[in-house]
Amino acid sequence: MTRRDQDRAVLVREAVADRRRRLPSRPLWALLTLLCSFTPGAAQQTERTGPWPAEVLEAVSRIPVQEGGRVKPLATLARFQLMRLVGTHGCTTPRGERLGPVAWLLDCLCFPEQAQHYAVIRVDDAQVVESLGLSIAGKRRRDRYSYAELLPAFAKLGRQALRFEQTPREQRTALESQVIRLAQVMPQLRDLLHTFDFALEQWSIDRSPALTKLFPGRDRVSFLEVIERFAAVRALLQQGDHEPRLLQIASSLSESMQLGRSLRFLPPVLPGGERYLSATEAIQDGPSGWHRTVLLQIEAALRNRSDLATLGQSLTELQRTLREPAAARTALRAIDGEVAFYRADLFGKALWTFLCGFLSCCILWLRPGSRWLRGASALLATGGAALLVAGIVTRCVLRGRPPVTTPYEVILLVVAVGVLLLLVVELTRRTGVWTSLANPFGALGMWLAVWHETSEGTDTMQQLVAVLDTNFWLATHVTTITLGYCAGTLAALIAHVYLLGKLFGLRRGDPTFYTELSHTIYGVLSFGLVFATVGTILGGVWANDSWGRFWGWDPKENGALMLVLGYVFIAHARMGGYLREHGMAVAAVALGIVVMWAFWGVNLYNVGLHSYGFTETKAAATRWYYAIEWTVVGVALAAGWRRLRRERG
Amino acid sequence: MTRLRRTVRQLVHSTSSYGLTCAIVLLLMGVLYLGTYQQRDLGLATVQARYFFSAFWWWRLGPIHVPLPGALTLLSMLALNLLCGGLLRIRWQARTAGIVIVHLGVLALLGSGLVSHLTGTNGYLKLFPGEQAAEYVSFRDFELVIGEPLGDGGMREFCVPESVLRHGTPAHAPGLPFTVRATRFLDSCVPQRARTADAREVVDGFYLAGTRARSGVPAVPGVYLEIVQAGRTVQRGMLWGRQRAPWTAEIDGSAWSFDLRPQVFDLPFTVRLESFTKETHPGVDTPRKFVSEVTRIAGDVRQNFHIAMNEPMRYGGFMLSQNSWGPQGAARGPYWSMLEVSSNPTDQWPKYACFVVAFGLLLHFGRKLIVYLERQRRRRTA
């Protein structure tokens, strides 16, 4: 069975199941779907013979497409689509060829018969596949599956997911959540694989007298040709001409018109239009003028897809065609900039730089006297920070927004400010301790950002909802409160060094080391107190303008207030003499828990006006963080209490 | 005199200690956490009433109920502590100027919260394009409306606020030939048909069954009423916040109507919705813009305004902001626009308090940073 036949078999099973109930009200095309016998389609059976030329990938990357309400390069769409499916930026074909996102997407579009066998669907637990009645022989517990492997269970998957969605989110088992996720990504991939059906479908009509009459002198007709004569085809069907071949073609058309809707690459032709269309949508509207030209161009390109060089040339020409009208509407410079930004991978490089810096710090701990290593560590921390700041600034320029519109951007900003603060402290102290901290902090933060991006698999430059569409409040309230979160995190990190150092006897003979750490914790907390307080009040002022009240006891507002109270408590307890060096370190670790609760934790409650930040995937990690940190607090309190008793005794 | 001064000093001393500040802040953090965590199950309104707008709340430890301070008590104590410690007891010097300014700002913020809580109102105004209104409806508070039919087909209304019903205070007004008293007020309930086994207060075969507050489900109150004339109860009735028609009672030969409805407030001007625009980002349902074009009519003066998210209209102590639209799910208009109306005498105080607090914090910590950097420089040169 070919890919299309398997798809049809599934659709037939679905259709037959509800035929009795829905038959009378279904439109003519659906009726034809049921009546038809599904014989193998006439699509060409072909595979890509060599790797995609680099210049073709480069050209195709820059095609503007619309997704999630914004125009972006095709490369970005491919990147996040693949990330959503497999959780990485690439995939491997059954032949062992490593493909990037754009090459994978091109295969899905131009060689769907081949691409459906790529193992690009990540399944975290093989039980999910087993529960669908499929074999998992030769697969690991967590493995990747191809579309073709999961297709036989497509209908069952949909039914199961529908049932599991009735269960409240917080009560779902891991298995149920995975089934739901799988049921979300499978249709996305199916849609993508069917995007260019209109250009790949060819039907032989030599055994159909009615169609031969309609298309004289032809033995094969294309999808678009049938569409263009559709009025005549419909007239034939309405006359009661139920010739098998005619019915088959009509059924195939009906099926294809339901798919291939996600890739919107056809810019609007009317002035003032904003909505891009997919090929299917354009065909449904009756393709005319410029859209028709583009669709014919794609059809012509794919007719010769066995010749990769010719196909590459055609795709490059297609890119030029598609960018022409887009140039008038959207800034192509931003599209090209985005492609360049993702290609430069500044954040990936920053992660590696911080990791190298951390490595040099580790060696430095073994050879403390090495000035060369100390310099290298400082240089790498500075380099990592420079790459990170460059990336953040580029994103701001591309988006025209402050760098705080998504949780991903907030993580980046927190890491950047944290590293810069540590470098500033190093500048004033010049002890080498702070660059030793900046590197692991940077590496950990960048790993967190990468993990967040891949686990979410959604565009990190997404459009904002109406209430967030204000650069003024984003730049003031969100940025200041983020700096408050950042300072809390950094203070907690330094406090860990203090407490773990004491616990393991690090620099036991150097009390100034711990005093310096303690002073820095206080300094960072003071910085945090300023920004968290001002940020929280500014948030209230914004809420007053947006929602008509300064304070509504919403979970996110309460989280911010909790953070401010945490800072206030530490400041007053220190002034009152209740907290000294050790106590302040313990309090700073506890403040780190408050930061996590205020930033992630309250979003998990999924209530309130800020619940748009909900991320289920982070729930387990957040709970682990709480557990570990409370353990640290408990152990540190016990150690402090013991020391106090010893001092008094 | 000396003794009085000593007593006052001791009082200020004990209410201004750092220990008290720390205790209040820790308790406030606990209340804040509980109130936030329980919003998942109980919903915002219940949690606000229980933890944030209450003087005390009960912590149930099995059979024992422990009273603990609510946010209202804690914030009042914090304000007192702040006043005594941060403004009276503190030494007014150049180096403490920042702290004094911060405390002044926080005090203004707390004061604005109290004034807003005690005197502010907020509600909504739902209009289709072309419609106008000069009153708005409360989001949460209800009122008892007693209607007296007038001969010309009109109706005279007597309104009894929810707070009066809640406390069971007898309500009377000139022109009202009876007194109304709420014998029981339920915050969240639903009317149910009474069975013979039910020993509850039953009116016309029904009773109000209390319901547990749940997140996402608005609480609908109910009330049992008695109508008293010359010290004698002449009628007993039951009202629910969502009943379809008012209860009618025959008193002194007239048919009086009783209705429990969301409280209605008057506006000193009329608002007319000219048009409402709802925009989404192309190809998706993500909202991009909601704009209500309104005309404000105050006497003979008509003025056009544009109300959108983050762009409210302020006039005469009222603020109108874009809240919602509907009918939800409708693909095409006409849509109604819901404007949130709030009346808050301290509307702009938080903004000014924010400037004051920011200035104070920067002054204090900026000075400390300069001192620290100077000390570092000296240490290095030494």
Short mmCIF file of all heavy atoms in Angstrom, two decimals, chain A residues 594-646:
data_model
loop_
_atom_site.label_atom_id
_atom_site.label_comp_id
_atom_site.label_asym_id
_atom_site.label_seq_id
_atom_site.Cartn_x
_atom_site.Cartn_y
_atom_site.Cartn_z
N VAL A 594 11.09 31.00 46.35
CA VAL A 594 10.00 31.98 46.11
C VAL A 594 10.05 32.47 44.66
O VAL A 594 9.01 32.60 44.00
CB VAL A 594 10.12 33.17 47.10
CG1 VAL A 594 9.09 34.24 46.77
CG2 VAL A 594 9.92 32.70 48.52
N VAL A 595 11.26 32.70 44.15
CA VAL A 595 11.39 33.15 42.76
C VAL A 595 10.80 32.10 41.82
O VAL A 595 10.01 32.42 40.92
CB VAL A 595 12.87 33.42 42.40
CG1 VAL A 595 13.02 33.66 40.90
CG2 VAL A 595 13.40 34.61 43.16
N MET A 596 11.14 30.84 42.06
CA MET A 596 10.63 29.77 41.20
C MET A 596 9.11 29.69 41.28
O MET A 596 8.43 29.52 40.29
CB MET A 596 11.28 28.44 41.62
CG MET A 596 10.86 27.25 40.80
SD MET A 596 11.20 27.43 39.05
CE MET A 596 12.82 26.71 38.96
N TRP A 597 8.59 29.84 42.48
CA TRP A 597 7.14 29.78 42.68
C TRP A 597 6.46 30.96 41.96
O TRP A 597 5.45 30.79 41.29
CB TRP A 597 6.83 29.82 44.18
CG TRP A 597 5.37 29.70 44.49
CD1 TRP A 597 4.60 28.58 44.41
CD2 TRP A 597 4.50 30.74 44.93
NE1 TRP A 597 3.32 28.85 44.77
CE2 TRP A 597 3.22 30.17 45.10
CE3 TRP A 597 4.67 32.09 45.21
CZ2 TRP A 597 2.12 30.91 45.54
CZ3 TRP A 597 3.56 32.82 45.65
CH2 TRP A 597 2.31 32.24 45.80
N ALA A 598 7.07 32.14 42.11
CA ALA A 598 6.46 33.34 41.51
C ALA A 598 6.56 33.30 39.99
O ALA A 598 5.65 33.75 39.29
CB ALA A 598 7.15 34.58 42.05
N PHE A 599 7.65 32.74 39.47
CA PHE A 599 7.85 32.76 38.02
C PHE A 599 7.15 31.59 37.32
O PHE A 599 6.43 31.78 36.35
CB PHE A 599 9.36 32.74 37.72
CG PHE A 599 9.68 32.86 36.26
CD1 PHE A 599 9.28 33.95 35.54
CD2 PHE A 599 10.40 31.87 35.62
CE1 PHE A 599 9.57 34.06 34.19
CE2 PHE A 599 10.70 31.97 34.26
CZ PHE A 599 10.28 33.07 33.56
N TRP A 600 7.35 30.35 37.83
CA TRP A 600 6.75 29.16 37.20
C TRP A 600 5.55 28.63 37.97
O TRP A 600 4.54 28.29 37.41
CB TRP A 600 7.76 28.01 37.15
CG TRP A 600 8.79 28.06 36.09
CD1 TRP A 600 10.13 27.98 36.29
CD2 TRP A 600 8.61 28.16 34.67
NE1 TRP A 600 10.78 28.05 35.09
CE2 TRP A 600 9.87 28.16 34.08
CE3 TRP A 600 7.49 28.28 33.87
CZ2 TRP A 600 10.06 28.26 32.73
CZ3 TRP A 600 7.67 28.38 32.51
CH2 TRP A 600 8.93 28.37 31.96
N GLY A 601 5.77 28.52 39.31
CA GLY A 601 4.82 27.79 40.14
C GLY A 601 3.39 28.27 40.00
O GLY A 601 2.48 27.46 39.81
N VAL A 602 3.17 29.57 40.08
CA VAL A 602 1.79 30.08 40.04
C VAL A 602 1.14 29.83 38.67
O VAL A 602 -0.07 29.71 38.58
CB VAL A 602 1.71 31.58 40.41
CG1 VAL A 602 2.08 31.80 41.84
CG2 VAL A 602 2.57 32.42 39.50
N ASN A 603 1.96 29.74 37.64
CA ASN A 603 1.38 29.46 36.30
C ASN A 603 0.77 28.07 36.26
O ASN A 603 -0.16 27.82 35.51
CB ASN A 603 2.47 29.55 35.23
CG ASN A 603 2.94 30.96 35.01
OD1 ASN A 603 2.57 31.86 35.75
ND2 ASN A 603 3.75 31.16 34.00
N LEU A 604 1.32 27.16 37.06
CA LEU A 604 0.83 25.78 37.05
C LEU A 604 -0.56 25.66 37.67
O LEU A 604 -1.23 24.66 37.49
CB LEU A 604 1.80 24.87 37.79
CG LEU A 604 3.22 24.84 37.23
CD1 LEU A 604 4.12 23.97 38.08
CD2 LEU A 604 3.23 24.31 35.81
N TYR A 605 -0.99 26.66 38.43
CA TYR A 605 -2.34 26.63 38.99
C TYR A 605 -3.41 26.83 37.90
O TYR A 605 -4.56 26.49 38.09
CB TYR A 605 -2.52 27.72 40.07
CG TYR A 605 -1.61 27.56 41.26
CD1 TYR A 605 -1.32 28.63 42.09
CD2 TYR A 605 -1.05 26.33 41.58
CE1 TYR A 605 -0.50 28.50 43.19
CE2 TYR A 605 -0.21 26.19 42.68
CZ TYR A 605 0.06 27.28 43.47
OH TYR A 605 0.88 27.14 44.56
N ASN A 606 -2.96 27.41 36.80
CA ASN A 606 -3.86 27.60 35.65
C ASN A 606 -5.12 28.39 35.98
O ASN A 606 -6.20 28.08 35.49
CB ASN A 606 -4.24 26.23 35.06
CG ASN A 606 -4.65 26.34 33.62
OD1 ASN A 606 -4.30 27.31 32.95
ND2 ASN A 606 -5.40 25.38 33.13
N VAL A 607 -4.99 29.33 36.88
CA VAL A 607 -6.13 30.23 37.16
C VAL A 607 -5.63 31.68 37.10
O VAL A 607 -4.43 31.93 37.18
CB VAL A 607 -6.76 29.99 38.56
CG1 VAL A 607 -7.54 28.72 38.62
CG2 VAL A 607 -5.70 30.02 39.66
N GLY A 608 -6.57 32.57 36.95
CA GLY A 608 -6.23 34.00 36.98
C GLY A 608 -6.00 34.59 35.61
O GLY A 608 -6.04 33.89 34.59
N LEU A 609 -5.76 35.89 35.62
CA LEU A 609 -5.64 36.63 34.37
C LEU A 609 -4.29 36.42 33.69
O LEU A 609 -4.09 36.82 32.56
CB LEU A 609 -5.85 38.12 34.64
CG LEU A 609 -7.27 38.49 35.04
CD1 LEU A 609 -7.31 39.87 35.66
CD2 LEU A 609 -8.19 38.43 33.85
N HIS A 610 -3.33 35.83 34.40
CA HIS A 610 -2.01 35.62 33.82
C HIS A 610 -1.81 34.16 33.43
O HIS A 610 -0.70 33.73 33.25
CB HIS A 610 -0.91 35.99 34.81
CG HIS A 610 -0.88 37.44 35.16
ND1 HIS A 610 -1.71 37.98 36.10
CD2 HIS A 610 -0.11 38.45 34.71
CE1 HIS A 610 -1.46 39.27 36.22
NE2 HIS A 610 -0.50 39.59 35.40
N SER A 611 -2.89 33.38 33.32
CA SER A 611 -2.72 31.94 33.12
C SER A 611 -2.27 31.60 31.71
O SER A 611 -2.12 30.44 31.37
CB SER A 611 -4.01 31.19 33.45
OG SER A 611 -5.05 31.65 32.65
N TYR A 612 -2.01 32.61 30.86
CA TYR A 612 -1.52 32.32 29.51
C TYR A 612 -0.10 31.76 29.54
O TYR A 612 0.39 31.25 28.56
CB TYR A 612 -1.58 33.56 28.60
CG TYR A 612 -1.14 34.84 29.26
CD1 TYR A 612 0.19 35.11 29.47
CD2 TYR A 612 -2.08 35.77 29.70
CE1 TYR A 612 0.59 36.28 30.09
CE2 TYR A 612 -1.69 36.94 30.33
CZ TYR A 612 -0.36 37.19 30.51
OH TYR A 612 0.04 38.33 31.13
N GLY A 613 0.56 31.88 30.69
CA GLY A 613 1.93 31.38 30.77
C GLY A 613 2.00 29.92 31.21
O GLY A 613 3.06 29.43 31.50
N PHE A 614 0.85 29.21 31.24
CA PHE A 614 0.82 27.85 31.74
C PHE A 614 1.70 26.90 30.92
O PHE A 614 1.64 26.89 29.71
CB PHE A 614 -0.62 27.32 31.72
CG PHE A 614 -0.72 25.91 32.22
CD1 PHE A 614 -0.70 25.64 33.57
CD2 PHE A 614 -0.81 24.88 31.33
CE1 PHE A 614 -0.79 24.34 34.03
CE2 PHE A 614 -0.90 23.57 31.78
CZ PHE A 614 -0.90 23.31 33.14
N THR A 615 2.53 26.14 31.62
CA THR A 615 3.37 25.17 30.92
C THR A 615 3.37 23.88 31.73
O THR A 615 3.99 23.80 32.77
CB THR A 615 4.80 25.69 30.79
OG1 THR A 615 5.17 26.24 32.03
CG2 THR A 615 4.95 26.71 29.70
N GLU A 616 2.64 22.90 31.23
CA GLU A 616 2.49 21.63 31.94
C GLU A 616 3.81 20.88 32.03
O GLU A 616 4.09 20.21 33.01
CB GLU A 616 1.45 20.80 31.19
CG GLU A 616 0.88 19.70 32.03
CD GLU A 616 -0.13 18.89 31.24
OE1 GLU A 616 -0.32 19.18 30.04
OE2 GLU A 616 -0.70 17.99 31.81
N THR A 617 4.62 21.02 30.97
CA THR A 617 5.86 20.22 30.91
C THR A 617 6.83 20.59 32.03
O THR A 617 7.73 19.82 32.33
CB THR A 617 6.56 20.44 29.56
OG1 THR A 617 6.64 21.84 29.32
CG2 THR A 617 5.84 19.77 28.43
N LYS A 618 6.64 21.78 32.62
CA LYS A 618 7.59 22.22 33.63
C LYS A 618 7.18 21.80 35.04
O LYS A 618 7.90 22.04 36.00
CB LYS A 618 7.72 23.76 33.61
CG LYS A 618 8.04 24.34 32.26
CD LYS A 618 9.43 23.98 31.82
CE LYS A 618 9.72 24.39 30.40
NZ LYS A 618 8.89 23.77 29.40
N ALA A 619 5.98 21.21 35.17
CA ALA A 619 5.45 20.92 36.51
C ALA A 619 6.38 20.00 37.29
O ALA A 619 6.73 20.30 38.44
CB ALA A 619 4.06 20.31 36.39
N ALA A 620 6.78 18.90 36.68
CA ALA A 620 7.61 17.92 37.40
C ALA A 620 8.96 18.54 37.78
O ALA A 620 9.41 18.39 38.92
CB ALA A 620 7.81 16.70 36.53
N ALA A 621 9.55 19.26 36.84
CA ALA A 621 10.86 19.88 37.10
C ALA A 621 10.75 20.88 38.25
O ALA A 621 11.63 20.95 39.11
CB ALA A 621 11.37 20.56 35.84
N THR A 622 9.66 21.64 38.27
CA THR A 622 9.46 22.63 39.32
C THR A 622 9.35 21.94 40.68
O THR A 622 9.95 22.40 41.66
CB THR A 622 8.18 23.45 39.04
OG1 THR A 622 8.23 23.89 37.69
CG2 THR A 622 8.06 24.64 39.95
N ARG A 623 8.60 20.85 40.71
CA ARG A 623 8.44 20.14 41.99
C ARG A 623 9.78 19.59 42.48
O ARG A 623 10.08 19.63 43.66
CB ARG A 623 7.42 19.01 41.82
CG ARG A 623 6.01 19.55 41.89
CD ARG A 623 4.97 18.47 41.84
NE ARG A 623 3.78 19.02 41.24
CZ ARG A 623 3.27 18.65 40.09
NH1 ARG A 623 3.83 17.72 39.38
NH2 ARG A 623 2.17 19.22 39.62
N TRP A 624 10.57 19.07 41.56
CA TRP A 624 11.90 18.56 41.91
C TRP A 624 12.76 19.69 42.49
O TRP A 624 13.49 19.51 43.47
CB TRP A 624 12.60 17.96 40.70
CG TRP A 624 12.28 16.51 40.53
CD1 TRP A 624 11.47 15.93 39.60
CD2 TRP A 624 12.75 15.43 41.36
NE1 TRP A 624 11.41 14.59 39.79
CE2 TRP A 624 12.18 14.24 40.86
CE3 TRP A 624 13.59 15.36 42.48
CZ2 TRP A 624 12.43 13.00 41.43
CZ3 TRP A 624 13.84 14.12 43.05
CH2 TRP A 624 13.27 12.96 42.52
N TYR A 625 12.67 20.84 41.86
CA TYR A 625 13.44 22.00 42.33
C TYR A 625 13.06 22.34 43.77
O TYR A 625 13.92 22.53 44.63
CB TYR A 625 13.21 23.19 41.40
CG TYR A 625 13.92 24.44 41.85
CD1 TYR A 625 15.26 24.64 41.54
CD2 TYR A 625 13.27 25.42 42.60
CE1 TYR A 625 15.93 25.79 41.98
CE2 TYR A 625 13.92 26.56 43.03
CZ TYR A 625 15.25 26.74 42.71
OH TYR A 625 15.91 27.86 43.14
N TYR A 626 11.72 22.40 44.02
CA TYR A 626 11.26 22.71 45.38
C TYR A 626 11.83 21.70 46.37
O TYR A 626 12.31 22.08 47.43
CB TYR A 626 9.73 22.64 45.48
CG TYR A 626 8.96 23.70 44.73
CD1 TYR A 626 7.65 23.48 44.32
CD2 TYR A 626 9.52 24.94 44.45
CE1 TYR A 626 6.92 24.43 43.64
CE2 TYR A 626 8.80 25.90 43.77
CZ TYR A 626 7.50 25.64 43.36
OH TYR A 626 6.79 26.58 42.69
N ALA A 627 11.72 20.42 46.02
CA ALA A 627 12.14 19.36 46.96
C ALA A 627 13.63 19.50 47.27
O ALA A 627 14.03 19.45 48.45
CB ALA A 627 11.84 18.00 46.34
N ILE A 628 14.44 19.70 46.24
CA ILE A 628 15.89 19.79 46.46
C ILE A 628 16.23 21.02 47.30
O ILE A 628 17.00 20.95 48.26
CB ILE A 628 16.64 19.81 45.10
CG1 ILE A 628 16.47 18.45 44.40
CG2 ILE A 628 18.11 20.13 45.28
CD1 ILE A 628 16.89 18.45 42.95
N GLU A 629 15.60 22.12 46.94
CA GLU A 629 15.94 23.36 47.63
C GLU A 629 15.49 23.37 49.08
O GLU A 629 16.19 23.88 49.96
CB GLU A 629 15.36 24.57 46.89
CG GLU A 629 16.01 24.82 45.54
CD GLU A 629 17.50 25.07 45.64
OE1 GLU A 629 18.25 24.08 45.58
OE2 GLU A 629 17.91 26.23 45.79
N TRP A 630 14.32 22.80 49.34
CA TRP A 630 13.88 22.72 50.74
C TRP A 630 14.82 21.82 51.54
O TRP A 630 15.06 22.06 52.72
CB TRP A 630 12.43 22.22 50.85
CG TRP A 630 11.41 23.31 50.62
CD1 TRP A 630 10.43 23.32 49.69
CD2 TRP A 630 11.28 24.55 51.33
NE1 TRP A 630 9.69 24.49 49.76
CE2 TRP A 630 10.20 25.27 50.77
CE3 TRP A 630 11.98 25.15 52.39
CZ2 TRP A 630 9.79 26.51 51.21
CZ3 TRP A 630 11.57 26.41 52.83
CH2 TRP A 630 10.49 27.07 52.25
N THR A 631 15.35 20.79 50.87
CA THR A 631 16.32 19.92 51.54
C THR A 631 17.57 20.73 51.90
O THR A 631 18.10 20.62 53.01
CB THR A 631 16.70 18.73 50.62
OG1 THR A 631 15.49 18.15 50.14
CG2 THR A 631 17.51 17.68 51.35
N VAL A 632 18.03 21.54 50.94
CA VAL A 632 19.21 22.38 51.19
C VAL A 632 18.94 23.30 52.37
O VAL A 632 19.77 23.43 53.28
CB VAL A 632 19.58 23.20 49.92
CG1 VAL A 632 20.68 24.21 50.22
CG2 VAL A 632 20.02 22.28 48.79
N VAL A 633 17.75 23.92 52.37
CA VAL A 633 17.39 24.84 53.46
C VAL A 633 17.38 24.09 54.79
O VAL A 633 17.94 24.56 55.80
CB VAL A 633 16.02 25.51 53.19
CG1 VAL A 633 15.52 26.27 54.41
CG2 VAL A 633 16.12 26.46 52.01
N GLY A 634 16.76 22.90 54.80
CA GLY A 634 16.67 22.11 56.02
C GLY A 634 18.05 21.74 56.55
O GLY A 634 18.34 21.93 57.75
N VAL A 635 18.91 21.23 55.67
CA VAL A 635 20.26 20.82 56.08
C VAL A 635 21.03 22.03 56.59
O VAL A 635 21.70 21.96 57.63
CB VAL A 635 20.99 20.14 54.89
CG1 VAL A 635 22.46 19.92 55.21
CG2 VAL A 635 20.32 18.81 54.55
N ALA A 636 20.92 23.15 55.88
CA ALA A 636 21.67 24.36 56.28
C ALA A 636 21.18 24.88 57.62
O ALA A 636 21.97 25.32 58.45
CB ALA A 636 21.51 25.42 55.20
N LEU A 637 19.86 24.82 57.84
CA LEU A 637 19.31 25.27 59.13
C LEU A 637 19.83 24.39 60.26
O LEU A 637 20.22 24.88 61.33
CB LEU A 637 17.78 25.25 59.09
CG LEU A 637 17.09 26.45 58.45
CD1 LEU A 637 15.59 26.24 58.42
CD2 LEU A 637 17.42 27.74 59.20
N ALA A 638 19.84 23.07 60.02
CA ALA A 638 20.30 22.13 61.03
C ALA A 638 21.78 22.40 61.35
O ALA A 638 22.18 22.43 62.53
CB ALA A 638 20.10 20.71 60.54
N ALA A 639 22.57 22.62 60.29
CA ALA A 639 24.01 22.88 60.49
C ALA A 639 24.21 24.17 61.26
O ALA A 639 25.05 24.25 62.17
CB ALA A 639 24.70 22.95 59.14
N GLY A 640 23.42 25.19 60.94
CA GLY A 640 23.52 26.48 61.63
C GLY A 640 23.16 26.36 63.10
O GLY A 640 23.81 26.91 63.96
N TRP A 641 22.09 25.61 63.33
CA TRP A 641 21.61 25.40 64.70
C TRP A 641 22.69 24.68 65.53
O TRP A 641 22.97 25.05 66.67
CB TRP A 641 20.32 24.58 64.65
CG TRP A 641 19.75 24.22 65.97
CD1 TRP A 641 19.69 22.99 66.54
CD2 TRP A 641 19.14 25.11 66.91
NE1 TRP A 641 19.09 23.03 67.76
CE2 TRP A 641 18.73 24.33 68.03
CE3 TRP A 641 18.90 26.50 66.93
CZ2 TRP A 641 18.11 24.88 69.12
CZ3 TRP A 641 18.27 27.03 68.04
CH2 TRP A 641 17.88 26.24 69.11
N ARG A 642 23.32 23.67 64.91
CA ARG A 642 24.37 22.89 65.59
C ARG A 642 25.55 23.80 65.94
O ARG A 642 26.07 23.76 67.05
CB ARG A 642 24.82 21.78 64.64
CG ARG A 642 25.19 20.51 65.39
CD ARG A 642 25.48 19.40 64.44
NE ARG A 642 26.82 18.90 64.65
CZ ARG A 642 27.51 18.21 63.79
NH1 ARG A 642 26.99 17.96 62.61
NH2 ARG A 642 28.70 17.77 64.07
N ARG A 643 25.91 24.64 65.00
CA ARG A 643 27.06 25.51 65.22
C ARG A 643 26.77 26.53 66.33
O ARG A 643 27.59 26.82 67.17
CB ARG A 643 27.40 26.25 63.92
CG ARG A 643 28.88 26.64 63.85
CD ARG A 643 29.16 27.40 62.63
NE ARG A 643 28.34 28.61 62.56
CZ ARG A 643 28.18 29.32 61.46
NH1 ARG A 643 28.74 28.93 60.33
NH2 ARG A 643 27.45 30.41 61.46
N LEU A 644 25.51 27.02 66.29
CA LEU A 644 25.10 27.99 67.31
C LEU A 644 25.17 27.39 68.70
O LEU A 644 25.65 28.01 69.65
CB LEU A 644 23.66 28.44 66.99
CG LEU A 644 23.25 29.80 67.52
CD1 LEU A 644 24.02 30.90 66.81
CD2 LEU A 644 21.75 30.01 67.30
N ARG A 645 24.69 26.13 68.81
CA ARG A 645 24.70 25.45 70.11
C ARG A 645 26.14 25.22 70.57
O ARG A 645 26.45 25.36 71.75
CB ARG A 645 23.97 24.11 70.01
CG ARG A 645 22.46 24.30 70.03
CD ARG A 645 21.74 23.00 70.10
NE ARG A 645 22.08 22.27 71.32
CZ ARG A 645 21.66 21.02 71.55
NH1 ARG A 645 20.94 20.39 70.65
NH2 ARG A 645 21.98 20.41 72.66
N ARG A 646 27.00 24.88 69.59
CA ARG A 646 28.40 24.63 69.93
C ARG A 646 29.06 25.92 70.44
O ARG A 646 29.77 25.93 71.43
CB ARG A 646 29.16 24.12 68.69
CG ARG A 646 30.39 23.27 69.07
CD ARG A 646 31.18 22.88 67.85
NE ARG A 646 30.36 22.24 66.81
CZ ARG A 646 30.48 22.48 65.51
NH1 ARG A 646 31.36 23.35 65.08
NH2 ARG A 646 29.74 21.85 64.65
#
